[in-house]
Amino acid sequence: MKIKSKAKLIWTVTNNGCEKLGIDHIASTIVKNKLNAVRMTYSSLAYPNILKLREKITKLLANEDKQPADGKVPFLLSFVGRRALLSVPNGEITLENGVEVEIAFQVDFSACASMSTDSNAESKQFEVRVSSEDQLSTLKIGSIINISYGSVELQIVEIKKKSATELTARCIVENGGTLISGVDVHSQDMSRDLFPLLSDDEKTLRAGFSYLADFVIVDGIKSEQELFAIKAGILGENAPFSERHPSIPINKDVLETEALLPPRFLLKVDSKRSYELLPILLKHVDGVFLSRSELGIDEHPHNLPILQKDLVDRCNRMSKTIIIASELMHSMRLNANPTRAEVSDMANAAADGSDALVLSHEVTEGPNADLVAEVSLETLVNSEAWVEKKWHPFEMDKIPSDDDAVTYGAIRIAQQANVRAIVCFTEGGYTAMKLSSMRTPTEIIAITCNKKIMRQLNLLRSVTGMVLESRSQVERILNETKDILVNAFGFKKGDKFVFVSLTASSVSERNSNLFTLQEID
């Protein structure tokens, strides 16, 4: 049986990978290695494969245990947006400083949407495929081209414009290194903004993909108004939300097992601008997706560790989901073993208190994918064992709210009573988020009524979601919870757990809370 980490692992899948490796192979890798979530870029081209992959994962998990299989693996989807991808002859080449290269830039939305970067076999050119014309209109002599998050830098010295959708640039290599097909290309003179929306992304908003996505990763946002526009496109105009639930309206639907609920929103922090917008935008989203590799193009690398710690701490204190993405285990795209720096990078991200870590498609679709999953899991488990010995989130006199006091009290009782788990009943997920954000070393089992909310909760650190088939009085919920613990988690007579809820208690159906120490009869 595979060991289980408290921080979750997110597996990046591309549409191109689905075509090359096959849905069955990818689904088998995810299930076999007990990976926690899937990240994909959504497009009309990718939609059939996203649907097939989810169905295949559900089928493979169906007979594993009593937990509903479609509640285990959440999908994180993002827009295609404005992006640029590199394609090189033969898939890989190394460039020395001072060498001249010629790059053909062309607009090819379908290639960006599918992550297809196969070069023409007869072509000797480097190619960069971008998703919109406006990305080419601002390139100029002197523009710096960052490839693979700045590991290779080129400066444009001459531009030959063929049309609005195609140009050729002669470049000098300022910082040499290895170029690999499929990596991202950035430039300060090449827009990454989400707005104005591309026509295909406008179709995405109308495609009903929100029911396929458990989380939507939003990047390229320049203002609060743009975020509201994206949320309105998915949730509808004037959709109700609260500080507890920025995306999920709490109504009767959350109490129905099969009800189709909207996704939760994750703000991608990938630039200095997006980081500076956090104080304004964080209250309107459910969490943050930190891309350190992209942020590192705007920020000096020595600032990144501090920015990461600050962002993780801020999200934890606001009970927001925090996901860390960078070039984790990146060398394993070619090598069977990671570097010491990569292992340290992953361990520190987990130790800082992140909910989940993202492995990029370069490694998840590479020849060492199974090894990547195994090494990553071992790294997380080993780092968590050390952190748990020092756990203590804050002093009692600094607890900011009643909700924090209740959840903190439940966690402290759980430690002192040496319970097997903290069990919470949560309608929209807030109680589980609050417990998880305190980074307790105790396992959290979140009981909810809706399958989609269960999937969303499975992305949280230390949390395993379960579905309660019907909303009952608190006393009945407790009895039904005990049955779930025995049947699905192997609890035995005499095993203890702390039960906590911030939404209901025996005193009141609403606006009440409780925590209680329980024992399996």
Side-chain angles (χ1 to χ4, degrees):
M1 188 175 79
K2 284 189 175 290
I3 52 178
K4 181 179 178 182
S5 66
K6 290 181 169 59
K8 307 301 175 73
L9 275 177
I10 301 174
W11 204 247
T12 299
V13 178
T14 67
N15 193 53
N16 198 40
C18 288
E19 300 294 338
K20 284 190 170 182
L21 300 175
I23 297 292
D24 288 355
H25 173 81
I26 293 173
S28 175
T29 299
I30 290 167
V31 172
K32 176 177 61 177
N33 292 292
K34 297 195 179 296
L35 300 163
N36 304 108
V38 172
R39 172 200 177 199
M40 289 190 73
T41 298
Y42 180 91
S43 68
S44 56
L45 290 171
Y47 175 79
N49 282 330
I50 296 172
L51 200 58
K52 289 176 187 175
L53 181 59
R54 168 161 260 167
E55 290 172 349
K56 185 63 179 180
I57 290 171
T58 299
K59 185 176 180 180
L60 292 175
L61 289 170
N63 298 319
E64 277 215 338
D65 57 34
K66 307 237 180 238
Q67 182 183 353
D70 57 354
K72 284 188 172 179
V73 180
F75 272 55
L76 292 75
L77 303 183
S78 59
F79 295 91
V80 176
R82 286 168 175 76
R83 67 181 310 165
L85 298 174
L86 178 72
S87 184
V88 299
N90 302 316
E92 182 176 332
I93 193 168
T94 300
L95 298 178
E96 302 290 338
N97 287 359
V99 171
E100 279 195 11
V101 295
E102 189 172 83
I103 299 179
F105 288 83
Q106 60 178 308
V107 178
D108 188 350
F109 182 89
S110 61
C112 292
S114 66
M115 296 291 290
S116 176
T117 54
D118 296 326
S119 288
N120 184 328
E122 298 180 359
S123 173
K124 301 299 181 183
Q125 277 189 319
F126 299 95
E127 298 175 351
V128 173
R129 301 177 186 181
V130 303
S131 48
S132 71
E133 292 180 15
D134 59 2
Q135 291 174 279
L136 299 185
S137 64
T138 49
L139 283 176
K140 58 184 185 293
I141 293 174
S143 292
I144 299 296
I145 307 298
N146 291 286
I147 301 176
S148 191
Y149 310 113
S151 61
V152 177
E153 286 189 357
L154 314 175
Q155 184 176 40
I156 295 178
V157 295
E158 183 182 5
I159 291 179
K160 297 177 182 177
K161 193 164 186 177
K162 299 181 179 179
S163 69
T165 61
E166 192 175 358
L167 64 81
T168 301
R170 187 164 60 88
C171 304
I172 297 290
V173 179
E174 297 282 332
N175 184 32
T178 300
L179 302 182
I180 301 172
S181 283
V183 298
D184 281 277
V185 177
H186 297 77
S187 174
Q188 295 287 350
D189 298 316
M190 197 158 54
S191 172
R192 303 281 286 194
D193 295 340
L194 186 59
F195 281 85
L197 286 177
L198 304 181
S199 59
D200 288 78
D201 286 329
E202 288 179 345
K203 292 176 187 176
T204 293
L205 283 179
R206 300 192 296 269
F209 89 110
S210 62
Y211 298 116
L212 189 61
D214 298 295
F215 295 87
V216 172
I217 304 168
V218 183
D219 63 342
I221 294 292
K222 302 189 294 294
S223 68
E224 193 174 39
Q225 289 69 35
E226 288 188 352
L227 177 60
F228 289 162
I230 287 294
K231 292 186 70 173
I234 294 175
L235 305 178
E237 293 289 345
N238 303 315
F241 62 88
S242 65
E243 287 191 16
R244 282 187 173 189
H245 301 285
S247 306
I248 306 292
I250 302 304
N251 54 35
K252 63 180 181 61
D253 287 347
V254 302
L255 303 179
E256 296 177 9
T257 304
E258 302 290 344
L260 297 176
L261 300 179
R264 298 188 190 272
F265 285 78
L266 301 172
L267 180 69
K268 188 175 182 183
V269 174
D270 55 1
S271 65
K272 184 180 291 186
R273 181 183 69 192
S274 57
Y275 183 81
E276 291 171 347
L277 281 171
L278 271 176
I280 299 171
L281 301 183
L282 192 53
K283 62 185 176 183
H284 302 302
V285 295
D286 302 274
V288 168
F289 186 102
L290 171 61
S291 176
R292 298 190 321 153
S293 47
E294 290 175 282
L295 182 58
I297 296 173
D298 276 1
E299 283 284 354
H300 194 285
H302 64 221
N303 290 331
L304 292 180
I306 303 304
L307 292 178
Q308 175 177 302
K309 290 178 186 295
D310 171 68
L311 187 51
V312 171
D313 181 67
R314 197 184 311 185
C315 287
N316 285 343
R317 291 191 175 275
M318 293 181 67
S319 301
K320 303 288 185 180
T321 304
I322 173 65
I323 298 169
I324 305 295
S326 65
E327 295 174 286
L328 297 171
M329 304 301 181
H330 195 63
S331 68
M332 293 188 76
R333 71 191 190 281
L334 301 174
N335 305 320
N337 295 305
T339 65
R340 289 188 295 272
E342 288 170 334
V343 172
S344 178
D345 202 23
M346 176 168 276
N348 280 322
D352 283 344
S354 56
D355 284 283
L357 295 98
V358 181
L359 295 163
S360 69
H361 75 92
E362 288 94 343
V363 294
T364 62
E365 295 178 351
N368 300 311
D370 286 328
L371 273 174
V372 170
E374 181 181 341
V375 172
S376 298
L377 185 61
E378 289 176 353
T379 300
L380 292 178
V381 170
N382 289 333
S383 66
E384 287 164 356
W386 179 82
V387 172
E388 286 173 9
K389 294 177 182 178
K390 303 181 66 178
W391 177 83
H392 193 74
F394 40 69
E395 299 298 330
M396 286 293 289
D397 62 352
K398 295 180 182 177
I399 292 179
S401 71
D402 291 346
D403 290 342
D404 289 289
V406 172
T407 49
Y408 183 79
I411 287 170
R412 297 303 289 176
I413 291 296
Q415 281 197 307
Q416 293 171 17
N418 194 30
V419 302
R420 276 195 59 174
I422 298 171
V423 181
C424 69
F425 173 74
T426 178
E427 292 180 349
Y430 178 73
T431 306
M433 293 174 192
K434 181 62 69 175
L435 286 165
S436 174
S437 69
M438 292 188 178
R439 300 312 185 227
T440 170
T442 308
E443 180 183 7
I444 301 166
I445 299 171
I447 310 293
T448 190
C449 298
N450 181 271
K451 286 183 178 179
K452 185 157 190 174
I453 290 176
M454 176 174 61
R455 280 198 300 271
Q456 293 166 341
L457 296 181
N458 278 332
L459 191 64
L460 302 179
R461 187 184 181 105
S462 303
V463 173
T464 300
M466 290 292 291
V467 162
L468 191 68
E469 293 297 335
S470 61
R471 175 73 159 88
S472 308
Q473 297 293 325
V474 171
E475 291 77 7
R476 286 192 60 190
I477 289 175
L478 270 172
N479 289 332
E480 292 175 34
T481 294
K482 289 180 180 180
D483 291 339
I484 289 173
L485 296 179
V486 171
N487 295 328
F489 292 89
F491 275 52
K492 305 294 184 185
K493 183 178 180 179
D495 284 346
K496 295 178 180 178
F497 66 96
V498 168
F499 181 85
V500 57
S501 174
L502 298 178
T503 56
S505 76
S506 55
V507 176
S508 172
E509 280 284 318
R510 287 276 176 195
N511 301 319
S512 186
N513 51 60
L514 66 82
F515 69 87
T516 173
L517 183 62
Q518 295 285 317
E519 185 174 314
I520 301 296
D521 304 321

